[in-house]
């Protein structure tokens, strides 16, 4: 039977539950907390964008191209497509002597409603820079240009750049990434189903450098610093990851993925956390993650206003009345 990670309360009763899996692992791979089937292969989707950015940094490409904190944070991002995100993505491409025409992530309207409405009012049309993955793809372009690789088809598994970043994924998570567990992500690059335990272990290693080579550990630290210094780039206005890291800084590295995936590194505690809501609901994964952070960051985290707010969401009706709430299940 599935295990609930979040509950919806209305009128003093539990109206519905979201089933899921949650796991906390230390940098040695030992399980500290588990709920559900932690061996379940799951697509981490955008949660592993920072792992994909490791070759950009450890190769020296980021330094040679002069990528700053905002640009490196955007390489790890699933952003809202707000003007600042679009500007930084274009700036990244400019460092490599390229422009939006080379991006192979596809086009969609900004996911932030205000940004989308402003673009529409201006008579503008979205382009690939507005894609929530444009920073990640700009990072691939920067790496390819630094290595003098042909950019065409960089999204395909056989391209040298995609082989390089896939190898980084396999190294950090210590899980196989091959054709038999490969799918295609929303931005057209491969995504690989791996056990939830492996995902959490990867985040523990990313947060501590333990078990990674010296240059890879240094690259992970550089990316964590960039994100801590520019958390707006990772998500944007109102987004869980941005709100969390604006409040807690380098104490947490957090990254969401599509279909109810959340993952986080706790560098000081040496822990990695992975949460999956089985029905894909972000609201469930977010409250479960916030509750686990309150539990594992230490006693002072339980009183942190931002964490408390993220761990419980009010539900309001069309008249603005508070009619219920979303909260983590008791098992969390």
């Amino acid at each position: 039977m599935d295990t609930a990670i979040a509950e919806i309360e209305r009128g003093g009763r539990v109206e519905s539950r979201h089933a899921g899996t949650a796991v906390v692992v230390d940098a040695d791979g030992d399980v500290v907390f588990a709920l559900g089937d932690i061996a379940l292969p799951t697509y981490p989707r955008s949660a592993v964008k920072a792992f994909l950015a490791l070759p950009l940094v450890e190769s020296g490409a980021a330094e040679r191209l002069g990528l700053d904190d905002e640009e490196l944070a955007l390489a790890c991002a699933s952003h809202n497509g707000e003007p600042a995100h679009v500007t930084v993505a274009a700036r990244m491409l400019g460092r490599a002597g390229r422009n939006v025409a080379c991006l192979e992530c596809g086009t969609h309207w900004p996911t932030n409603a205000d940004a989308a409405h402003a673009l529409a009012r201006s008579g503008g049309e979205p382009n690939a820079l507005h894609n929530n993955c444009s920073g990640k793809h700009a990072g691939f372009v920067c790496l390819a240009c630094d290595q003098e690789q042909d950019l065409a088809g960089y999204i395909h598994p056989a391209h040298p750049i995609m082989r390089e970043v896939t190898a980084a994924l396999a190294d950090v998570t210590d899980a196989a990434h091959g054709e038999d567990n490969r799918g295609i992500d929303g931005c057209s690059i491969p995504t690989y189903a791996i056990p939830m335990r492996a995902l959490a272990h990867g985040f523990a290693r990313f947060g501590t450098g333990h078990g990674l080579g010296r240059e890879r550990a240094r690259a992970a630290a550089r990316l964590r610093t960039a994100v801590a210094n520019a958390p707006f780039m990772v998500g944007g206005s109102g987004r869980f990851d941005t709100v969390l890291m604006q409040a807690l800084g380098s104490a947490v590295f957090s990254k969401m993925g599509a279909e109810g995936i959340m993952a986080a590194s706790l560098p000081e505690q040496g822990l990695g956390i992975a949460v999956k809501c089985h029905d894909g609901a972000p609201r469930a994964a977010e409250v479960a993650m916030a509750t686990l952070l309150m539990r594992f960051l230490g006693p002072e985290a339980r009183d942190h206003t931002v964490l408390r707010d993220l761990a419980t969401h009010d539900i309001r009706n069309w008249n603005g009345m508070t009619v219920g709430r979303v909260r983590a299940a008791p098992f969390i």
Side-chain angles (χ1 to χ4, degrees), residues 46 49 77-81 108 111 128-136:
S46 291
K49 282 181 176 176
S78 298
H79 63 74
N80 280 339
H108 62 69
T111 55
L129 295 172
H130 295 95
N131 187 302
N132 74 97
C133 296
S134 66
K136 174 181 71 178

Side-chain angles (χ1 to χ4, degrees), residues 5-317:
I5 61 168
E7 299 177 338
I8 313 306
E9 179 190 81
R10 186 184 300 263
R13 298 175 181 272
V14 174
E15 183 177 30
S16 59
R17 293 181 173 88
H18 291 282
T21 302
V23 58
V24 182
V25 177
D26 68 21
D28 291 321
D30 294 329
V31 175
V32 176
F33 170 88
L35 183 69
D37 183 4
I38 64 173
L40 178 71
T42 302
Y43 292 116
R45 305 291 296 277
S46 291
V48 293
K49 282 181 176 176
F51 300 175
L52 294 168
L54 286 167
L56 175 65
V57 178
E58 66 188 3
S59 67
E63 185 175 359
R64 285 188 290 272
L65 292 171
L67 299 183
D68 60 24
D69 284 345
E70 286 188 331
E71 291 157 350
L72 288 176
L74 197 74
C76 304
S78 298
H79 63 74
N80 280 339
E82 294 174 79
H85 301 124
V86 173
T87 296
V88 173
R91 194 169 77 211
M92 290 177 71
L93 294 173
R95 301 231 192 238
R98 301 287 177 161
N99 60 37
V100 63
C102 71
L103 293 179
E104 298 182 359
C105 53
T107 296
H108 62 69
W109 284 89
T111 55
N112 176 269
D114 290 341
H117 294 160
L119 182 60
R121 283 196 303 268
S122 73
E125 294 286 340
N127 59 47
L129 295 172
H130 295 95
N131 187 302
N132 74 97
C133 296
S134 66
K136 174 181 71 178
H137 281 251
F140 296 153
V141 169
C142 286
L143 180 60
C145 289
D146 183 74
Q147 296 183 0
E148 299 183 348
Q149 298 279 359
D150 183 1
L151 278 179
Y154 70 81
I155 59 175
H156 298 304
H159 191 281
I161 293 303
M162 207 49 56
R163 290 203 306 266
E164 187 172 353
V165 299
T166 299
L169 287 175
D171 177 61
V172 176
T173 61
D174 199 23
H177 287 63
E179 186 176 358
D180 61 334
N181 64 332
R182 186 170 67 216
I184 303 298
D185 214 330
C187 66
S188 297
I189 72 163
T191 182
Y192 297 86
I194 63 171
M196 290 289 289
R197 178 177 180 171
L199 179 60
H201 188 200
F203 270 80
R205 298 173 80 185
F206 182 80
T208 62
H210 182 72
L212 305 180
R214 183 175 66 177
E215 291 305 316
R216 182 147 290 170
R218 186 178 299 171
R222 177 69 187 96
L223 290 169
R224 294 198 316 272
T225 297
V227 168
N229 289 339
F232 183 82
M233 288 296 127
V234 180
S237 300
R239 295 286 295 279
F240 180 96
D241 294 330
T242 288
V243 171
L244 177 68
M245 292 188 285
Q246 283 175 336
L248 298 181
S250 61
V252 178
F253 175 90
S254 171
K255 186 66 188 71
M256 57 72 65
E259 298 299 331
I261 279 279
M262 292 291 305
S265 298
L266 281 59
E268 294 179 11
Q269 289 76 20
L271 299 175
I273 304 175
V275 175
K276 168 68 176 180
C277 177
H278 292 171
D279 64 15
R283 67 179 184 178
E286 289 176 358
V287 296
M289 174 59 77
T291 302
L292 287 169
L293 290 173
M294 292 172 66
R295 177 172 175 178
F296 286 99
L297 276 172
E300 65 281 0
R302 293 187 174 91
D303 296 324
H304 199 292
T305 301
V306 168
L307 275 176
R308 289 204 311 269
D309 289 345
L310 291 173
T312 304
H313 296 176
D314 284 341
I315 299 173
R316 298 181 184 276
N317 68 11

